[in-house]
Amino acid sequence: MDNDLIDKAKQLITPALVFHTDIHVVKAQGLYVESIEGKRYMDFSSGLATTNIGHCHPRVVDAAKRQLERLIHSGCIFYHDSEIELAERLKEITPGNLDMFFFSNSGAEAVEGAIKLARYYTGRQGIISFTGGFHGRTMGALSLSTSTGRYRKGYHPLLPSIFRAPYPYCYRCFLGHKAETCSMDCLEYLKRMLRHEIDPAEVAAIIIEPVLGEGGYVVPPKEYLKELRKLCTQHGILLIADEVQTGFGRTGKWFASEHFGVVPDIMVVAKGIASGFPLSAVISTQEIMSKWPPGAHGTTFGGNPVSCAAAIATIETIEEEKLLERAISLGEYALGRLKEIQKRDPKIGDVRGLGLMIGIEFVKADGSPDGEMCKMVCQRCEENGLIIIECGIDKNIIRLMPPLITTHEEMERALDIFDGAVKE
């Protein structure tokens, strides 16, 4: 650990920005990052679910270098090749008829755009999000986020006309039910909201993470999302899928909503789109997007030529290296191994996931969240060369999100380290 650099960082960087480790990284390649002391770590955080094809993938580096020599910035003054080519490539992989794009820089920025689009298109104001969801920390996105009240503390009043339904988190049901006797009362709760709190004719959109990210890596029941889609269609409500963390192969499909057979009206993407370059997008149909007139939304840095070139290379790499298939097979192996560890160790209450988006929930003997155990496991894994990070309101859930390029042998080694940390 480079104490000098960390001391400088604490003097210069606001404490509002939290770093998950004290590792000073000087080099990264593929699955691995290297510290200034020369220690190599397996990065099972993927730069917070962003470097889906690994750090500094040669194809991405080459594409960025070539674009840097041609054009770095357009600022909505000029059209440029990489932005239009990226839109064409995205059109090929997005579900349904989601075929028009607005490029921005971050997930939160894209969420803000999606809210604006939904309100403008429908002429309605109400937005429904889900308890436990995370959509970003800018004011509009923060108004939707309830993965923890800590993020919202000190910022009220937030955006008005935001309503909240319980996320279908079956292991810790907000309504106190058990998964084996679930009758989707959380969906009935939402329907009652539309009778008691806000008339559906005033709801512009319902926004949901197809797999809950920051809130706990929760996979909802397939039927819930199908019924949610029907409900939105019935009332003319736009369904927004927040695929910021779930997109670009993270769950074994291009987008997690595909697992559920659901096509949203608006989709928000970021993180894995450009392998670490700042880029995000609001994606919708031409019918919806074309109602957004010139000047209704804008950006200076969105759709940056270098970021777009990196995104094209990312998509091509996922396709040509068949990384969607690898995410599925490797995820199935990891889930199976983790469930075996769970059977042996009562400290693990639940294991869940899709593809390479896996949550491991630690509990105390009484079933309550055990954040301290989670913290100790993360620390011990880091000592042994494996970077993993936590999530959930009680910080008791480890999220495994390795790059899609991870090999079977590397996954085995990582799970050996994890297993040893839990035993210790």
Side-chain angles (χ1 to χ4, degrees), residues 260-272:
F260 304 91
V262 167
V263 178
D265 300 294
I266 302 172
M267 190 160 65
V268 177
V269 299
K271 288 192 181 290

Side-chain angles (χ1 to χ4, degrees), residues 183-392:
S183 57
M184 285 212 300
D185 280 357
C186 49
L187 183 67
E188 292 305 312
Y189 186 102
L190 173 57
K191 291 178 179 178
R192 287 196 297 272
M193 282 177 57
L194 295 175
R195 294 178 61 197
H196 292 282
E197 294 188 54
I198 181 170
D199 190 280
E202 294 187 310
V203 179
I206 297 177
I207 182 168
I208 189 169
E209 295 167 273
V211 178
L212 199 63
E214 173 86 13
Y217 269 40
V218 177
V219 182
K222 188 173 184 178
E223 194 60 26
Y224 184 93
L225 285 188
K226 285 184 170 293
E227 290 299 316
L228 182 63
R229 171 69 276 182
K230 290 178 185 177
L231 185 69
C232 288
T233 301
Q234 176 187 348
H235 294 293
I237 298 169
L238 299 182
L239 178 60
I240 303 174
D242 183 340
E243 296 261 11
V244 168
Q245 192 159 167
T246 53
F248 298 94
R250 174 53 49 198
T251 66
K253 291 189 180 289
W254 283 111
F255 305 101
S257 52
E258 296 177 81
H259 285 284
F260 304 91
V262 167
V263 178
D265 300 294
I266 302 172
M267 190 160 65
V268 177
V269 299
K271 288 192 181 290
I273 188 173
S275 296
F277 283 88
L279 186 67
S280 64
V282 181
I283 306 173
S284 190
T285 64
Q286 288 201 26
E287 189 224 330
I288 293 172
M289 280 284 200
S290 63
K291 300 298 190 298
W292 222 7
H297 196 42
T299 180
T300 297
F301 294 101
N304 173 269
V306 182
S307 294
C308 288
I312 294 164
T314 299
I315 292 170
E316 290 174 347
T317 301
I318 292 172
E319 288 177 334
E320 294 177 18
E321 297 186 12
K322 301 187 184 307
L323 297 183
L324 300 181
E325 294 86 344
R326 180 182 292 188
I328 290 289
S329 62
L330 202 58
E332 288 174 351
Y333 165 74
L335 275 173
R337 175 111 183 252
L338 288 165
K339 287 183 183 293
E340 288 301 315
I341 298 172
Q342 179 190 11
K343 288 178 185 176
R344 188 196 68 224
D345 201 316
K347 292 187 292 293
I348 299 177
D350 194 32
V351 174
R352 53 194 179 245
L354 280 176
L356 291 176
M357 186 173 182
I358 298 172
I360 307 158
E361 183 154 353
F362 287 93
V363 297
K364 298 176 182 176
D366 61 0
S368 61
D370 193 346
E372 188 58 32
M373 177 65 184
C374 182
K375 180 180 178 181
M376 289 191 294
V377 169
C378 288
Q379 288 174 339
R380 186 54 58 91
C381 285
E382 183 182 318
E383 291 166 8
N384 289 300
L386 174 65
I387 297 171
I388 53 177
I389 61 174
E390 81 301 319
C391 64

Side-chain angles (χ1 to χ4, degrees), residues 30-33 41-55 217 245 250 271-272 275-276 356-357 386-389 399-406:
L31 171 62
Y32 300 92
V33 297
Y41 298 84
M42 303 171 74
D43 182 10
F44 264 50
S45 74
S46 292
L48 211 57
T50 297
T51 55
N52 283 7
I53 62 170
H55 292 280
Y217 269 40
Q245 192 159 167
R250 174 53 49 198
K271 288 192 181 290
S275 296
L356 291 176
M357 186 173 182
L386 174 65
I387 297 171
I388 53 177
I389 61 174
R399 41 179 159 172
L400 296 187
M401 42 184 171
L404 312 184
I405 59 164
T406 303

